[in-house]
Amino acid sequence: MHDKTLAELARDLNSGTYSSEELTRHYLERIASHDSQLNSYITAATDAALVRARAADEQRAAGEAGPLTGIPLAHKDIFCTDGLKTSCGSKMLDNFIAPYDATVVSRLNEAGMVTLGKTNMDEFAMGSSNETSFYGPVKNPWDTGTVPGGSSGGSAAAVAARLAPAATGTDTGGSIRQPAALCGVTGLKPTYGRVSRYGMIAFASSLDQAGPLTQTAEDAALLLNAMAGFDPRDSTSLDRAVPDYSAGLGADLTGLKIGLIKEHFDPGLDGGVADAVDAALAEYKKLGAEVVEISLPNTHLSVPAYYVVAPAECSSNLSRFDGVRFGYRCENPTDLADLYKRSRGEAFGPEVKRRIMVGTYALSAGYYDAYYIKAQQARRLIRDDFVRAFESVDVIMGPTAPSPAFKLGEKADDPITMYLSDIYTIAANLAGLPAMSVPAGFVNNLPVGLQIIGNYFDEARLLNVAHRYQEVTDWHQRIPSGFE
Amino acid sequence: MMEWETVIGLEIHTQLATQSKIFSGAPTAYGAPPNSQACAVDLGLPGVLPVLNKEVVNMAIKFGLAIEAQIAPRSIFARKNYFYPDLPKGYQISQYELPIVEQGKLAIRLEDGSEKIIGVTRAHLEEDAGKSLHEDYHGMTGIDLNRAGTPLLEIVSEPDMRSAEEAVAYMKKIHALVRYLGISDGNMQEGSFRCDANVSVRPRGQIEFGTRSELKNINSFRFVERAINFEVERQIDLLEAGGEVIQETRLYDADRDETRSMRSKEEAMDYRYFPDPDLLPVEITSEHIESIRATLPELPEAKKDRFISDYGLKAEDAVILTASREMADYFEAVVESSGEAKLAANWVIGELAGYLNREDIAIGDSPITAGMLAGVIKRISDNTISGKIAKDVFDAMWNGEGDADTIIEQKGLKQITDTGELEAIVDKVIADNPEQVEQFRAGKEKVLGFFVGQCMKATGGKGNPAQLNQMLRDKLGK
């Protein structure tokens, strides 16, 4: 059953091939038997999952099943789950059980989905390799000596290894797309404001966006149908109708204008990845699309602007972790300052501390204009580049990541090199645009992702463009050996 | 000896009277058990987000319109970052660069009766913090987050005040205004209305301001006056002794009646303000502003002018009666049911205010309702009782003995109008005081007062003084 997509699982559940309880049990058993190789889960839900699965079976028996009823999935451990530990990959929240569900979680629960567990991630979503997690690194199922990417590395690895048929993730600078690319799965970061951020532990509020990691674009559409929409508890979510993302799949691509980002074919790009992207574009031409080269002249500002804005926001967002009300508290604090210093000092990892310090500096009196304001100006230029580009093209394509999965530990001590892993993905966050990564081949037996960036709220087109490609390729169907 | 001039600016924090908090649905009622009115958003739990309560925006607009200020078409919420146990998120959501209200003004009345215009630099919206409780926790500190997220309007004045008296007059004026507007209960004991005072001194004639100190968190009119006066004296003493005032934050200690240093400028925190990415800019259309304007109540100035023209009151009486909306409403209720504006004004300003002050009771809690006061005024105007007896009736009403008519009836205070009865008294008084009769007849008019007094005494106060006066004149003049 674990080689099936969500769409296939729904058909089998409807036809009675197996029940949700059997399906859920199967995945829980796979997690128990296989995850020790990957460390993709922080918490498995076990009993609670079976209770929900049985409830879903009853719902189906009563004729009330929807398209996702009874299908299991995993949540990134950044989404608050009522009664189930939410650690955010940090020692700080190792003891934290949220008293409420994130909106994404409650919407998927309402759709009848069964939570298998919470997936591993970089601490507070800060990282591109899943090596900053308090719970240890996640290993890439294609080669357990390499990283799965990050920060949604646990979700990507779990879907790739079929330890979950799908998972949720969050993307602040590429945290859905880059691990999707490195693990060979499909990942979608929706338009900023499309999916509620309520209950999703904030890293950088103006950039964070939740989205699905799935085997196929068709599955991503199914999940987005349930996840998207206005939430009165999130002021930045947009009150705008949600189309049926599944309905548009299969539409003809004849005449589709694809913009190829000139600047992304730079010396930092792995030759094999470049070839895979070229091959993908050749497929699109066969499907009737037209490829034109475009320029995003301010794209080189993305990484510097991001590494001011994201740390600035995180330095403030993470202030609530102070050892006073919840989370880690140091033992026997001597006074208030000691309580703060040791609770935060002992519970945050080095990458989180680095970003808090960078962000605190960038917001300080005397530096604010030079860093934060300047970064916001750069952000506007980057967005304007895209707005201009979308006047002449329908979607923009390029590589998701500059290279396939790198070795565990290879970049862990070199933050700048690590930050460059997100060089192609960050711009979409700064601009607030929807973007996907779809499996587009292999280099040295490691998956490569094609990034597709769409115009604002153009997720339906984005999903169809990915879907049509998946109809003529099978990269997304490959399963890493040992996990078949 | 150098002559010094005081310069004062006030930052007033007024709690807005909304049902729920500024960024969450939790209730704002005062006095609930600790942490019973703090929801996930107020606790700053991981993942929660603020959603603006639109009512606070409308209240800020009302205030802005009342002080003839500019209402920003677009204002921004910012985060003020600092660590404190009663600040759950590690930042306070406030407004910094683009506040909702800017450049207003307000007239205050000085003791000599003249008016002075005080500029209001800005008023911005923000959330209150919780409270740290240091008592009853065995050396530990308890945190109560009921107040966290309560909406505040911070009203920042220009440094336009030149004495503690002016500062108090301004603070009272703002206090009356927010209550007139119904946007705050202004309850100072509960901390709903409190202020910080920026105080400096300079040699008279000097253009530049002196170095200021900021006096924090003062929650009564009396303390504002005392704190400023103490601080002004401290600064002058310091300067005259050849010292320097340093820029610092000081705390007023009401028990010791002194201010003391909290932190200096060097220790001042860097709040690292930046726009809150969780909240959208507040955009206000001119149509919306006009719709709010249409709901504004009559403001103190307009009410004062109306009292003068409609009721024929003296300007100073009208000022006193419109100082608070409650007093103005009370007065008008008395006028409406008694039909006697001038008597009503005298009684509200005189007897009633005296009793309320003496027992420190707000007019809204007066044991004598407007209807009861009107009742006694009606009996004065229809000559049932004299003004003197009315004071006894008032006192009895204050002590809960019933309404005016009941008291007059029970105590037999009805004025004696029977001419025969009064004539007998007058005759007796004249007969008993031959010496004074001689004096009066010799032209000493003042003695008439003595006779009236004696007659009133003999009637137990129930005589009509005017009537007695006439009768005495008639008889003595013979």
Side-chain angles (χ1 to χ4, degrees):
Chain A
M1 329 175 184
H2 60 264
D3 57 349
K4 301 261 180 15
T5 65
L6 301 186
E8 290 162 349
L9 292 174
R11 279 192 285 275
D12 287 353
L13 286 169
N14 276 333
S15 66
T17 312
Y18 37 79
S19 67
S20 173
E21 186 178 355
E22 287 168 309
L23 180 63
T24 302
R25 204 178 289 282
H26 175 71
Y27 273 105
L28 291 173
E29 282 164 9
R30 271 185 74 77
I31 295 167
S33 59
H34 287 72
D35 197 44
S36 56
Q37 299 168 64
L38 302 179
N39 195 28
S40 67
Y41 280 84
I42 291 172
T43 307
T46 58
D47 291 348
L50 293 171
V51 169
R52 283 199 56 84
R54 281 192 286 271
D57 285 333
E58 281 165 25
Q59 211 182 329
R60 188 175 306 279
E64 291 162 2
L68 295 169
T69 303
I71 298 178
L73 94 165
H75 288 295
K76 185 178 182 180
D77 210 18
I78 201 168
F79 293 99
C80 286
T81 42
D82 193 351
L84 189 65
K85 182 169 98 171
T86 301
S87 75
C88 221
S90 181
K91 180 180 181 181
M92 182 60 85
L93 292 178
D94 186 42
N95 64 1
F96 180 67
I97 296 176
Y100 64 96
D101 281 325
T103 298
V104 162
V105 172
S106 62
R107 286 199 171 159
L108 293 171
N109 282 346
E110 280 157 27
M113 297 197 83
V114 176
T115 302
L116 288 171
K118 307 291 290 288
T119 57
N120 204 342
M121 56 181 285
D122 279 297
E123 185 179 9
F124 285 103
M126 298 176 200
S128 308
S129 67
N130 224 299
E131 292 169 292
T132 72
S133 170
F134 171 63
Y135 300 92
V138 176
K139 286 151 193 158
N140 191 320
W142 292 95
D143 174 354
T144 53
T146 67
V147 303
S151 65
S152 310
S155 290
V159 174
R162 306 306 195 254
L163 302 187
T168 55
T170 60
D171 192 316
T172 305
S175 279
I176 288 175
R177 291 161 287 156
Q178 184 255 16
L182 269 51
C183 290
V185 301
T186 303
L188 166 65
K189 179 202 93 73
T191 308
Y192 184 80
R194 180 78 288 187
V195 175
S196 169
R197 293 187 296 114
Y198 189 83
M200 190 176 114
I201 298 176
F203 160 18
S205 314
S206 73
L207 302 163
D208 296 342
Q209 186 63 199
L213 289 110
T214 53
Q215 295 161 48
T216 63
E218 186 185 16
D219 285 0
L222 280 171
L223 283 185
L224 190 61
N225 280 337
M227 292 168 77
F230 175 66
D231 178 2
R233 289 183 298 183
D234 176 2
S235 313
T236 62
S237 74
L238 278 124
D239 196 355
R240 187 182 164 120
V242 178
D244 180 348
Y245 294 108
S246 302
L249 298 180
D252 190 5
L253 295 189
T254 304
L256 179 82
K257 279 197 149 180
I258 298 172
L260 191 63
I261 308 168
K262 189 170 77 179
E263 288 81 3
H264 283 188
F265 292 84
D266 57 13
L269 180 63
D270 178 280
V273 175
D275 292 345
V277 172
D278 283 342
L281 291 167
E283 289 295 339
Y284 276 109
K285 284 180 193 157
K286 280 193 249 168
L287 289 168
E290 185 187 329
V291 178
V292 293
E293 196 172 81
I294 58 159
S295 174
L296 300 173
N298 294 295
T299 198
H300 64 285
L301 299 174
S302 298
V303 172
Y306 177 85
Y307 278 97
V308 170
V309 173
E313 292 181 10
C314 100
S315 71
S316 176
N317 283 333
L318 269 59
S319 295
R320 70 188 60 198
F321 304 107
D322 57 4
V324 173
R325 295 165 313 285
F326 48 76
Y328 181 82
R329 178 186 288 185
C330 68
E331 284 186 25
N332 305 316
T334 55
D335 57 22
L336 185 59
D338 187 49
L339 170 76
Y340 287 150
K341 283 181 192 164
R342 283 203 291 123
S343 297
R344 291 167 66 80
E346 290 166 15
F348 285 143
E351 184 59 29
V352 170
K353 286 178 188 165
R354 182 180 294 123
R355 297 201 195 187
I356 289 173
M357 285 190 284
V358 168
T360 302
Y361 181 82
L363 291 176
S364 298
Y367 300 97
Y368 180 77
D369 289 352
Y371 292 103
Y372 187 79
I373 295 292
K374 201 113 200 156
Q376 293 293 7
Q377 288 164 348
R379 195 171 174 175
R380 205 159 304 129
L381 294 174
I382 290 160
R383 191 196 58 198
D384 292 347
D385 278 359
F386 279 110
V387 169
R388 216 169 298 119
F390 280 116
E391 284 168 7
S392 56
V393 299
D394 300 313
V395 292
I396 291 172
M397 290 190 188
T400 304
S403 70
F406 45 92
K407 295 256 178 289
L408 279 159
E410 185 184 326
K411 300 181 181 179
D413 297 326
D414 183 355
I416 301 298
T417 312
M418 185 73 89
Y419 295 170
L420 292 174
S421 313
D422 293 330
I423 189 162
Y424 305 139
T425 47
I426 280 172
N429 298 83
L430 290 169
L433 290 165
M436 287 186 80
S437 179
V438 292
F442 286 82
V443 171
N444 304 326
N445 298 316
L446 289 169
V448 169
L450 170 74
Q451 180 172 227
I452 315 172
I453 302 172
N455 209 339
Y456 294 103
F457 295 99
D458 212 5
E459 283 86 354
R461 187 202 301 264
L462 210 52
L463 287 160
N464 181 50
V465 167
H467 175 70
R468 293 304 310 270
Y469 175 72
Q470 291 181 334
E471 283 182 331
V472 295
T473 56
D474 69 350
W475 309 116
H476 60 287
Q477 291 169 344
R478 311 264 180 107
I479 300 177
S481 73
F483 297 95
E484 295 93 344
Chain B
M1 192 82 165
M2 176 100 66
E3 207 186 325
W4 297 95
E5 183 179 47
T6 304
V7 176
I8 303 160
L10 294 186
E11 292 168 18
I12 294 174
H13 292 83
T14 184
Q15 182 182 320
L16 296 175
T18 51
Q19 292 296 306
S20 59
K21 293 185 176 177
I22 182 167
F23 298 120
S24 84
T28 53
Y30 180 82
N35 299 311
S36 64
Q37 302 202 100
C39 68
V41 173
D42 307 323
L43 295 174
L45 288 186
V48 298
L49 296 169
V51 175
L52 179 62
N53 178 345
K54 298 231 161 38
E55 195 50 36
V56 303
V57 173
N58 293 338
M59 288 180 169
I61 294 172
K62 274 188 188 175
F63 179 78
L65 291 173
I67 59 164
E68 300 167 53
Q70 293 174 13
I71 311 296
R74 185 168 178 277
S75 66
I76 303 259
F77 283 101
R79 293 184 184 179
K80 179 179 181 179
N81 294 283
Y82 66 97
F83 285 95
Y84 204 70
D86 60 23
L87 186 70
K89 298 186 294 297
Y91 58 84
Q92 177 194 28
I93 305 176
S94 181
Q95 294 192 304
Y96 186 56
E97 280 186 338
L98 292 173
I100 189 163
V101 171
E102 281 186 289
Q103 293 175 34
K105 60 179 192 289
L106 195 66
I108 58 169
R109 187 173 296 267
L110 305 181
E111 267 183 21
D112 62 6
S114 65
E115 275 197 350
K116 178 170 177 175
I117 304 294
I118 307 295
V120 176
T121 318
R122 58 186 276 161
H124 66 253
L125 291 165
E126 62 184 25
E127 58 179 344
D128 208 344
K131 279 180 188 163
S132 296
L133 310 170
H134 300 290
E135 289 144 29
D136 306 328
Y137 290 91
H138 313 287
M140 307 218 289
T141 297
I143 309 289
D144 177 7
L145 295 176
N146 282 352
R147 200 180 66 180
T150 297
L152 297 177
L153 186 67
E154 179 173 336
I155 303 156
V156 182
S157 83
E158 292 288 319
D160 285 349
M161 288 153 278
R162 294 292 173 267
S163 68
E165 293 71 32
E166 288 184 21
V168 171
Y170 166 79
M171 193 177 172
K172 283 187 171 165
K173 193 82 190 225
I174 295 278
H175 186 251
L177 189 58
V178 295
R179 287 161 61 93
Y180 260 93
L181 294 168
I183 62 172
S184 175
D185 65 15
N187 190 319
M188 298 173 88
Q189 279 86 42
E190 292 175 4
S192 307
F193 192 85
R194 52 191 198 259
C195 93
D196 303 336
N198 288 303
V199 179
S200 64
V201 297
R202 62 182 171 191
R204 194 169 292 282
Q206 180 180 302
I207 309 274
E208 306 84 54
F209 292 130
T211 305
R212 69 170 191 273
S213 56
E214 186 182 6
L215 311 179
K216 280 300 222 194
N217 234 351
I218 315 171
N219 68 348
S220 89
F221 298 124
R222 206 171 33 162
F223 290 167
V224 166
E225 182 160 11
R226 284 206 209 154
I228 291 171
N229 284 333
F230 174 88
E231 183 58 20
V232 165
E233 238 174 88
R234 189 189 70 88
Q235 290 187 11
I236 292 173
D237 287 350
L238 202 60
L239 292 167
E240 290 188 341
E244 245 177 65
V245 174
I246 55 164
Q247 192 177 328
E248 62 181 349
T249 303
R250 297 179 71 85
L251 194 70
Y252 175 68
D253 181 336
D255 295 332
R256 296 187 184 179
D257 191 22
E258 63 176 28
T259 66
R260 58 170 182 270
S261 183
M262 272 174 77
R263 57 175 178 266
S264 72
K265 190 188 177 190
E266 285 68 39
E267 297 166 277
M269 287 192 254
D270 178 354
Y271 291 118
R272 308 188 312 280
Y273 282 100
F274 74 106
D276 191 332
D278 289 334
L279 291 160
L280 304 177
V282 180
E283 300 199 332
I284 302 170
T285 62
S286 48
E287 292 75 31
H288 186 64
I289 294 173
E290 291 317 308
S291 75
I292 297 290
R293 195 191 299 277
T295 69
L296 284 184
E298 184 181 32
L299 296 176
E301 286 302 304
K303 204 181 275 283
K304 180 199 75 186
D305 293 343
R306 181 168 62 79
F307 280 14
I308 294 170
S309 62
D310 287 11
Y311 301 131
L313 300 186
K314 286 182 286 185
E316 59 259 42
D317 288 352
V319 167
I320 296 170
L321 288 170
T322 54
S324 80
R325 186 172 175 174
E326 290 75 9
M327 186 179 274
D329 289 349
Y330 187 105
F331 163 73
E332 290 208 275
V334 175
V335 175
E336 193 178 331
S337 84
S338 71
E340 293 285 344
K342 280 182 183 160
L343 271 176
N346 289 343
W347 277 85
V348 171
I349 293 169
E351 212 67 6
L352 180 71
Y355 272 65
L356 292 171
N357 273 342
R358 198 181 64 208
E359 305 204 10
D360 198 18
I361 293 176
I363 196 163
D365 301 327
S366 168
I368 298 179
T369 63
M372 288 162 76
L373 184 59
V376 73
I377 287 171
K378 274 191 272 188
R379 293 302 156 255
I380 300 169
S381 63
D382 68 9
N383 281 326
T384 305
I385 54 172
S386 66
K388 187 164 181 305
I389 288 291
K391 291 188 181 179
D392 297 338
V393 174
F394 184 93
D395 190 70
M397 288 198 299
W398 183 271
N399 294 321
E401 293 174 35
D403 64 16
D405 287 342
T406 309
I407 292 165
I408 291 166
E409 184 62 38
Q410 278 177 0
K411 299 200 167 183
L413 298 174
K414 211 169 164 187
Q415 203 156 245
I416 302 165
T417 45
D418 181 337
T419 324
E421 195 178 331
L422 287 177
E423 256 192 68
I425 290 166
V426 169
D427 288 343
K428 185 165 187 305
V429 167
I430 290 172
D432 289 351
N433 296 287
E435 202 177 312
Q436 282 78 4
V437 172
E438 280 311 308
Q439 288 175 356
F440 181 79
R441 290 196 171 139
K444 210 171 176 189
E445 279 275 324
K446 275 204 281 185
V447 185
L448 190 64
F450 165 80
F451 282 110
V452 174
Q454 289 298 310
C455 292
M456 285 299 286
K457 202 172 164 187
T459 61
K462 291 186 285 183
N464 180 329
Q467 197 182 354
L468 287 167
N469 199 308
Q470 194 51 52
M471 290 170 83
L472 283 160
R473 271 188 189 285
D474 289 348
K475 289 189 187 277
L476 291 167
K478 275 178 190 163

